Amino acid sequence: MAKFTKKKKGELPPVSTASLPDIVFMLLFFFMTVTTMKDSELKVINELPYADQVQKLDKKDRIIYIYAGKPHERYRATYGSAAKVQLNDQLRDVKDVGAYILEERAGRRPEIQNVLTTALKVDKETNMGLISDIKQQLRDVNALKINYTTRVGEASQN
């Protein structure tokens, strides 16, 4: 004859892991939607000037960034110490700015191609002649909406 044992009343039931994949995928989806990727590695010194009247741009998908300044020390052996223009992750010549803007404009959605803003992030020690050359290249490709990126503060701090 078989022996029957009685269940102990204090035992806890095992933890159900049936919903674990749902939780993992929900967390994965959450972090994929809220995480932003780094746009580009800054290869130029970029200490922005101060300004007292500043407005924030609201739609980031309508902005094309151009960085200008002296190269960092790790790039000076290759590019020299004169101020350079950084387009995406490459230090380029000023004459390449027009082609870069046309390429970026072509890669955007057709409905926002005419409302793109070019944001210049220029180091405060950069020569105004370089900025003037960049602006001339922008005029040549009809990119007339220009924004100068600054830090909030008094202009006397520059």
Side-chain angles (χ1 to χ4, degrees), residues 31-74:
F31 285 115
M32 285 174 52
T33 56
V34 300
T35 303
T36 58
M37 297 295 178
K38 184 177 176 184
D39 289 335
S40 61
E41 177 189 356
L42 210 54
K43 294 184 177 182
V44 294
I45 297 171
N46 199 277
E47 187 176 335
L48 298 174
Y50 290 99
D52 54 1
Q53 296 179 3
V54 183
Q55 289 182 343
K56 189 168 184 144
L57 294 175
D58 51 349
K59 298 185 179 180
K60 301 286 185 187
D61 64 334
R62 299 178 183 196
I63 302 172
I64 301 172
Y65 291 101
I66 296 176
Y67 300 93
K70 293 182 180 178
H72 278 290
E73 274 113 38
R74 62 180 171 237

Side-chain angles (χ1 to χ4, degrees), residues 41-128:
E41 177 189 356
L42 210 54
K43 294 184 177 182
V44 294
I45 297 171
N46 199 277
E47 187 176 335
L48 298 174
Y50 290 99
D52 54 1
Q53 296 179 3
V54 183
Q55 289 182 343
K56 189 168 184 144
L57 294 175
D58 51 349
K59 298 185 179 180
K60 301 286 185 187
D61 64 334
R62 299 178 183 196
I63 302 172
I64 301 172
Y65 291 101
I66 296 176
Y67 300 93
K70 293 182 180 178
H72 278 290
E73 274 113 38
R74 62 180 171 237
Y75 302 110
R76 285 195 183 156
T78 308
Y79 297 106
S81 61
K84 298 284 183 189
V85 177
Q86 180 179 342
L87 307 173
N88 283 340
D89 278 339
Q90 298 176 343
L91 291 176
R92 309 279 290 275
D93 197 23
V94 175
K95 64 182 169 125
D96 298 330
V97 170
Y100 169 72
I101 293 296
L102 292 175
E103 180 183 317
E104 286 289 315
R105 189 183 292 164
R108 304 291 173 101
R109 296 188 322 256
E111 60 268 9
I112 67 167
Q113 285 181 355
N114 295 330
V115 295
L116 291 174
T117 301
T118 305
L120 298 177
K121 289 190 170 187
V122 181
D123 184 51
K124 68 181 184 179
E125 299 294 326
T126 302
N127 188 350
M128 194 60 193

